[in-house]
Amino acid sequence: MTARIDAVRGDITQSDCDAIVNAANSGLMGGGGVDGAIHRAAGPELLQHCRDLKAHYPCGFPVGAAAAIPGCALKARWVIQTVGPNRHRGETDPADLAACFANSLDEAVRVGARSVAFPAISAGVFGWDGDEVARIAVDAVRRSPVLGRLDLVQFVLFSDELLAKFQRALSTR
Ligand code: ADP
C-alpha cells in the first residue's frame, strides 16, 4: 500500500492530518502567511518549541531541512517546520524546494504520523511560481521512499487558483 495523495482548498490550521507542515523562515520565530496562521491557531506554546528548536541552529534553520515540534492547540499532533527557498534572495534551485517536501515526509514518518498536510511552500512571500511549486511538490512526494508508511499526503491550498495548479500537477503522470 502507498499513501493517497490529494489536494483540497482550505486552511491548513484546521487540518485533521496527524502532522501539518509549516512554511517557516530560517529564524523559526513565526512570520506572516501560513506561518503566522499556524502560530495563532497553535497558541503561544508553539513559540517555546520554536525557541528550543532554534537553539540547535544558531546560524538559522537551513533551507530544505525539516523538524517536527508538537502541534500544541492544533488538531494536528505535530507541526513540521521547514524553510523553503526564497526566490527574492536568489534561491532558485528546485532541489531545495523538493527537499522541503521529501525531508518533511521523512520527519513525519520518524515521529509516527500517518497523514501529512502541506501548504504551497515558497509560493507566497518567497515568490515562487505556483505551477512550479505544484510540479516540484507532487514529484517530490511521489518519489518519497517513505510513502508506503503513510496513509495520506494532502496539499491544502489557500485559493482556488493554487488548488487548480496542484490538481493539474496531480493529474499528470
Ligand atoms: P512562503 O514564505 O514559503 O512563500 P507563505 O506563507 O507566504 O510562505 O505562503 C505559502 C502559501 O501558503 C501561499 O500560497 C499562501 O497563500 C498559503 N497560506 C497562507 N495561509 C494559509 C493557511 N492558513 N492554510 C493554507 N495555506 C495558507
Side-chain angles (χ1 to χ4, degrees):
M1 274 298 282
T2 186
R4 182 159 64 90
I5 307 171
D6 70 10
V8 296
R9 181 172 175 181
D11 174 354
I12 202 166
T13 66
Q14 303 304 308
S15 173
D16 290 322
C17 285
D18 295 337
I20 66 170
V21 177
N22 183 18
N25 54 58
S26 60
L28 292 177
M29 299 303 283
V34 71
D35 194 7
I38 289 173
H39 273 269
R40 279 190 298 279
E45 209 194 319
L46 193 75
L47 200 57
Q48 190 52 52
H49 292 291
C50 289
R51 274 196 199 97
D52 295 344
L53 182 59
K54 190 181 162 80
H56 293 98
Y57 297 94
C59 299
F61 198 69
V63 172
I69 58 175
C72 303
L74 293 169
K75 272 189 271 182
R77 200 156 158 212
W78 294 279
V79 172
I80 298 176
Q81 301 278 28
T82 191
V83 178
N86 184 346
R87 192 164 272 279
H88 303 304
R89 283 205 196 137
E91 295 167 352
T92 58
D93 187 348
D96 286 337
L97 186 55
C100 291
F101 291 94
N103 290 330
S104 293
L105 292 181
D106 287 351
E107 182 69 353
V109 166
R110 190 185 69 79
V111 297
R114 299 289 314 184
S115 53
V116 185
F118 280 105
I121 299 166
S122 291
V125 171
F126 282 4
W128 281 60
D129 170 70
D131 276 313
E132 197 177 0
V133 171
R135 277 194 305 272
I136 292 166
V138 168
D139 184 59
V141 169
R142 282 181 176 154
R143 283 170 190 267
S144 166
V146 299
L147 217 50
R149 297 168 67 186
L150 294 163
D151 300 321
L152 174 66
V153 177
Q154 185 159 68
F155 297 107
V156 180
L157 293 321
F158 217 41
S159 68
D160 285 335
E161 200 187 333
L162 261 180
L163 174 61
K165 293 176 196 289
F166 273 75
Q167 283 172 334
R168 214 172 308 132
L170 283 167
S171 67
T172 312
R173 267 280 147 205

